[in-house]
Each structure stands twice: as C-alpha cells, then as structure tokens.
Amino acid sequence: MNQSEAAYRQWLSEERLDPALREELLALAGDEKEIEERFYTELEFGTAGLRGIIGAGTNRMNVHVVRRATEGLAQYIRTFADGAARGVAIAYDSRQMSDAFARETALVLAQNGIKAYLYKTLHSVPQLSFTIRHLGCIAGVVITASHNPPAYNGYKVYWEHGGQVAPAQANAIFAEICRADYFAARGMEEKEALAKGLLVMIGEEVDEAYYAATQTLLQYPDLMRAHGGELKLVYTPLHGSGCVPVRTLLSRLGVPVHVVPEQEKPDSAFPTVKAPNPEDPNAFVLAIPLADKVGADVILATDPDSDRLGVAVRKKNGTFDVLTGNQIGSLLIHYLLSARKEKGTLPENGIVVKSLVSTRMADAICAHFGVTCRDVPTGFRFISEIIDRCERTGEETFLFGFEESYGFLAGSCSRDKDAICASMLVTEACVYYRQKGMTLYDVLCEMYRTYGYYKESVKSYTLAGKEGIERIRGAMAALRQDCPVEFGGVPVETEEDLRSGICRNLVTGSEQPAAVQGADILRYSLVGGAWICVRPSGTEPKLKLYIGANAAEEAGVDALLKQLTAAADARLKTLLGLC
C-alpha cells in the first residue's frame, strides 16, 4: 500500500470526517490515479496562503484543511503577547464554500481564545487589508482563490501591516500547521463565541471608513463633483465582491454606473465566463454590447475578490480595446504623476514600485517626472513591505504600485492590490481627460509618442498534477544548467537568477549581485533593451513566460516581440516536453 492509499484509508476511517466528504471519498474507491492526486501531498502554505481545488483530501480545499490551517495560524498568533486580544479580521468572496470556510476560520480562532472579526457579507481583499489596520488586528484571513476557475478556493493570510505574510512568517505558520491534526482542530459554537466576545461581526462603519480613506486619493475631487455625471461607464463585477463597493464609491462621486445585469449578482459557478479573470478579454463579452447601447467610453471589470481590475476603452473607430495590465498601470502612473506635478504636490522623494515582470514603460514615465521606479519580485506583498517601510522611516513617499497581472494600488489605505480604488482613479482620469477632449485611448497613444512604444507578451504553460509540477521544476533546472545565449538571434547580455541572487554578464563573464533577489525567477536582459523572464506560478500549476520589448515605432516593437516570443516559446515547449 503506497502513501496516498494509506492516507485515503485513514481519512475514511476517521469518525470526525465530514459526511459529504466521506461520500466523495467512497465514490473514489479503486480509482488509484485520483486517490494519488488527492493524497500524494498536502496543499502548501506560502506567502499566498493555501489554494486548491475544492474537494476531499489533503491536496484539496475542504473544511478539515481550513480548520487545520487555522489551528496552525492560531498557535503562531499565540506566540505574540497581545496577539489573541488584537484578533484576526476575516473576509470572504463569492466562491463556493467561501462563507462556510470563513465561519470555520472564525470559530477555530475563537476556540483558541483569539478574537475573530468576521464580515457579515462577502467583502473584497482591499477592504480586508484596510480593516486589519483600522481595527488594529494582528492578522487577517481572506477566503478566496482570486481569479482562478470555479473549482478552486483558497486561504490567504495577512499580517498587521495589511500585506500578506512574509516568507519567514509563512514558514513559521506552516510549521505550526504541520504539527496540527486535520481532525482534532475544532471550532467554538457560534452562540458561545458571540456571547464571550470572541466573535465580532464587522459593521458598516468599517466600510464607511474605507470609502472615506479611499476618496482622499482623488486628485481633483471638485472636478469629479462638477463633471462626474457626464461620464458614461459600464462595470461588471464578474459575479464577485466588487459590485457593492465599486458602485457605492462611484455613485457617491456622481458617476452613473451601468452594471452588466447577467454578471451583477454573486454566483460561485461564474456561469457567464470560463474563468472570472479580467485579464481575459472574454470577460468583456457581455459588457461591450451594453457599453455600445448606453454610449459608454470605458468599461471596468473586477475579479471575485476585487483585487484585480480590467479596463476596456473605446477607440476612434468606435470599437473597444481591452487594455493589458501594463497599459492600465502606465496610464495610472502617467495620470497621477502629471496631476501631482500640475498641482505642485509631487514629492521629491516619491517612488513607484512594480514587479520586475511588468513593463519598462513605467521606468520611462518615472524618469520623465524625476521619480524613482523600483522593481521587486512578483507578489504584491513585496510592494506592501515597501509601503510599510516608507511609512515607518519617512525616507521615501510611496505613490503607486502595480503588477502586470492587473493589480494596482495608490497611496497606503490598503496594502494589497485594490481594484476598488483603481476603479475610482481610472474613472477620475476619464473625467479629467474628457475635459481636454481626450479619451483614455487618446492618452495612451500620446504616451507612446512621448515615451516610445513598449509592448509585452505573457504566456502560461499549465501542467496539472504531480507530473506537471515535476516537469516545471525540470524545465527551470535545465535553464539554470544551460543558460540560453540568444533568443531569436538576439544575444543575451545578462542572466539574473533571483533564487541564487547572482547576475552574470554573458559578454564579459563577470558576476555581481542581482538587483532583485528572493524568488524562483530567471531574467534575461537582451542586447537592445528587450527582456525575458521565466518563473513558476506560486498559486497555480503553471510555468509563466514574460517578454518585453520597446522601439521608436510600433511596427518595430511588434516584429521584435513576435520574434522573441516564438523563440522563447519553442525553447520552453521543448524543455516541458510539449513538442
């Protein structure tokens, strides 16, 4: 009997196993491959918490996995003298089992004597991030799988600064989780938890505090009050948690919001999309006809936990262009820096922070305005750590942070991607430029003329299961062992291995510390300014390829990007055994 089969039988023999999960496991009898997939490992807990397919097993998201994770988190919190009293804020989105997992989280914390603050209804990631600091909590938990397909759910842990836990913390929490038993962890009865003050339901006053704080980030509030009603805008929450906060905020600014009716209500099945991901242009299929009907100039879309924002803008020919995350980030940087310079509020020590796989157009914009642009590894927690450091030291002033994967944040009200705030700022930018006779598409074209043409390509290789993970690891190992010297005939100038922290110059053979360190990423800088990054996803069974190029003319950057993408794609497919 192998390890997976033994774990499967152990779960079935457990009297405390959830009845629905027992039925699910009984139906797997004799299916060796499926049993192995569910039990060959446990869901890994990292800086992004847990994430997996909902179902029975140690490699799935279910009530016992959630209770065990919370038991481990509770034991870690108890190592802090004031941790139990400060408590944990808990939010959840519209995914399957999210509300139940959130309730279980709260009650297991209560059983451990730790105060749990629980939202009464689904709420977004940025609202949870704000709430942690607003209530003075030591930690926070969000039950979400962000933009993953409907079969997934997850468990994200935040710390007192409002950002996701750091690697050392994640490792310490995971060690406590590993010491916990799947079936020993239990929650307090809800009535008892409420009576003892260990379960506190978060009220609307916290929402109001978030709205008030977010509105302070407006650059031209008087302009919004005077002309916000002239803008025509379509919004889709993609069946998620953004519907209430986005509509509330924009309506208070006087902006009429036309919501896609088929995608307005929360629905864990996300029936109108293959995946509720604003990165996918298909997320706008229902929104575009509505935008044409009402004559809208812009469409906004948020994912289920409302940390990612997608934008589509109308072009001069009347059609809509779905922007990339890099284009949205660049537009927002250009708008915010332009506005602050115009008002005389651009600080001398201002910084913009982006993930190293995001567009280098951001660097060009920041250089134009005399603002520092800093790269960090992928994962918004790195940006939140810089925000926290800026606030503590005062040495720099954080202005904006973004990731190419549609995550944006201005200011420091929240410490994670905030699609609600970003929706407000994109809307304000539309109103501002409308007074100048311009759409966001016009502004983007003007930016290309000013800063040059920057374009990027992102490709994912999904290899599910144990075998897939091994093939991804093998591909990364092969790249490290045999560094590419060119892509599509363009020579590689430097290779940066962020895991080892070494940057090697292939021309001179010299080595020096990599500018960015601490992640399983390989970055190649090519002669002429183009770049290529390869990294495994931290939350999905994927290997991701990022390519960026720039040129003075659009035709030139398009040709170079196509050339590099074809070469890098062929190399990775060979290494992954996909040819």
Side-chain angles (χ1 to χ4, degrees):
M1 184 187 307
N2 62 31
Q3 180 181 342
S4 299
E5 181 70 25
Y8 168 72
R9 295 189 181 186
Q10 190 273 323
W11 272 51
L12 277 178
S13 67
E14 176 56 58
E15 293 181 356
R16 294 165 291 184
L17 178 65
D18 179 83
L21 297 179
R22 185 182 301 280
E23 287 186 19
E24 187 177 330
L25 291 180
L26 287 170
L28 299 179
D31 189 340
E32 295 180 2
K33 184 175 181 180
E34 183 63 21
I35 289 172
E36 182 179 14
E37 284 295 331
R38 289 170 180 252
F39 288 97
Y40 83 90
T41 189
E42 298 177 335
L43 288 181
E44 283 193 25
F45 182 92
T47 55
L50 301 167
R51 189 174 299 186
I53 297 170
I54 299 168
T58 57
N59 193 34
R60 294 290 186 268
M61 280 294 296
N62 55 68
V63 65
H64 300 293
V65 167
V66 169
R67 287 173 183 165
R68 181 178 183 244
T70 307
E71 182 69 27
L73 174 62
Q75 296 308 316
Y76 178 70
I77 289 173
R78 286 161 67 98
T79 64
F80 296 84
D82 60 348
R86 291 176 62 187
V88 178
I90 304 163
Y92 59 93
D93 68 4
S94 58
R95 286 185 172 274
Q96 181 185 352
M97 300 294 294
S98 282
D99 55 348
F101 289 164
R103 180 179 176 275
E104 291 289 345
T105 299
L107 296 178
V108 171
L109 289 170
Q111 181 66 31
N112 281 278
I114 298 171
K115 181 174 285 190
Y117 295 92
L118 177 64
Y119 276 109
K120 299 175 184 177
T121 58
L122 71 165
H123 274 70
S124 67
V125 157
Q127 287 173 291
L128 182 279
S129 176
F130 171 85
T131 298
I132 292 169
R133 297 172 63 244
H134 182 71
L135 296 179
C137 296
I138 194 168
V141 174
V142 185
I143 306 298
T144 179
S146 190
H147 59 290
N148 282 63
Y152 284 77
N153 212 331
Y155 183 103
K156 293 172 68 174
V157 178
Y158 291 74
W159 203 240
E160 59 185 347
H161 66 296
Q164 293 179 39
V165 292
Q169 290 177 305
N171 291 338
I173 294 169
F174 188 44
E176 295 290 351
I177 292 173
C178 291
R179 282 191 277 271
D181 182 86
Y182 281 103
F183 301 101
R186 63 186 182 89
M188 182 180 285
E189 289 295 325
E190 186 170 337
K191 288 184 179 179
E192 181 184 358
L194 287 167
K196 290 182 175 180
L198 290 169
L199 175 60
V200 178
M201 306 308 292
I202 300 174
E204 293 180 0
E205 67 278 1
V206 177
D207 292 339
E208 290 300 324
Y210 169 78
Y211 295 141
T214 301
Q215 288 183 70
T216 65
L217 297 170
L218 286 167
Q219 298 301 307
Y220 301 101
D222 291 340
L223 180 73
M224 287 295 290
R225 281 190 287 269
H227 297 286
E230 300 168 11
L231 182 69
K232 293 181 180 179
L233 179 150
V234 165
Y235 167 61
T236 172
L238 297 177
H239 307 287
S241 63
C243 190
V244 171
V246 170
R247 294 173 76 175
T248 298
L249 199 54
L250 295 186
S251 65
R252 290 183 181 183
L253 297 174
V255 179
V257 181
H258 300 274
V259 180
V260 178
E262 300 93 335
Q263 298 172 326
E264 179 178 8
K265 294 182 179 179
D267 190 330
S268 62
F270 307 109
T272 62
V273 288
K274 184 176 181 181
N277 188 355
E279 297 180 60
D280 184 353
N282 291 319
F284 293 85
V285 167
L286 294 177
I288 290 175
L290 177 60
D292 287 335
K293 180 180 178 181
V294 302
D297 293 323
V298 64
I299 303 170
L300 307 178
T302 55
D303 65 345
D305 59 353
S306 300
D307 63 351
R308 297 172 192 247
L309 172 70
V311 178
V313 296
R314 193 181 293 278
K315 299 190 290 186
K316 289 190 180 297
N317 64 6
T319 63
F320 275 92
D321 187 29
V322 178
L323 302 183
T324 68
N326 284 313
Q327 289 174 319
I328 299 168
S330 296
L331 276 166
L332 284 172
I333 294 170
H334 175 77
Y335 170 66
L336 291 170
L337 298 187
S338 297
R340 297 195 68 155
K341 183 177 181 180
E342 182 177 80
K343 297 189 303 175
T345 61
L346 187 62
E348 293 183 0
N349 65 347
I351 63 166
V352 168
V353 188
K354 66 180 177 71
S355 65
L356 83 167
V357 296
S358 299
T359 181
R360 292 186 180 176
M361 188 177 198
D363 299 78
I365 298 170
C366 288
H368 178 81
F369 286 96
V371 170
T372 299
C373 186
R374 185 169 302 156
D375 280 357
V376 293
T378 54
F380 218 86
R381 69 172 184 81
F382 292 103
I383 297 176
S384 70
E385 288 171 1
I386 289 181
I387 299 172
D388 187 56
R389 185 164 66 245
C390 288
E391 190 172 84
R392 285 186 290 102
T393 66
E395 294 174 358
E396 295 175 308
T397 300
F398 175 80
L399 300 174
F400 189 77
F402 87 101
E403 294 183 318
E404 56 76 36
S405 54
Y406 294 67
F408 317 102
L409 179 65
S412 58
C413 300
S414 172
R415 298 296 173 85
D416 204 348
K417 301 182 290 286
D418 190 341
I420 300 165
C421 177
S423 293
M424 179 190 76
L425 293 175
V426 168
T427 301
E428 184 188 34
C430 287
V431 173
Y432 174 81
Y433 289 117
R434 195 173 190 275
Q435 301 310 302
K436 297 178 178 292
M438 302 174 71
T439 66
L440 287 188
Y441 186 79
D442 296 330
V443 177
L444 189 61
C445 292
E446 185 179 83
M447 289 167 59
Y448 285 135
R449 289 191 293 270
T450 301
Y451 305 116
Y453 282 88
Y454 289 79
K455 291 192 178 183
E456 296 76 32
S457 173
V458 182
K459 187 175 179 62
S460 295
Y461 306 84
T462 302
L463 294 93
K466 181 180 179 181
E467 179 187 351
I469 292 173
E470 291 173 350
R471 287 162 69 184
I472 289 171
R473 288 173 178 166
M476 292 297 291
L479 286 171
R480 286 188 166 97
Q481 185 175 355
D482 185 15
C483 174
V485 296
E486 55 83 26
F487 288 94
V490 182
V492 174
E493 190 168 15
T494 63
E495 175 209 38
E496 289 178 274
D497 186 344
L498 274 64
R499 191 175 69 179
S500 67
I502 295 174
C503 176
R504 185 163 62 95
N505 189 306
L506 271 63
V507 178
T508 64
S510 63
E511 293 185 355
Q512 62 185 34
V516 182
Q517 301 183 21
D520 187 8
I521 298 176
L522 291 168
R523 178 164 68 167
Y524 307 97
S525 294
L526 280 57
V527 173
W531 56 272
I532 293 173
C533 277
V534 183
R535 75 172 184 94
S537 170
T539 57
E540 302 171 87
K542 292 180 178 180
L543 185 67
K544 303 193 77 171
L545 166 67
Y546 304 83
I547 302 175
N550 62 283
E553 301 294 334
E554 186 172 18
V557 73
D558 286 341
L560 179 57
L561 194 62
K562 183 178 179 180
Q563 174 185 342
L564 295 176
T565 300
D569 179 53
R571 183 181 293 270
L572 289 184
K573 282 182 176 176
T574 298
L575 294 177
L576 292 168
L578 298 176
C579 292

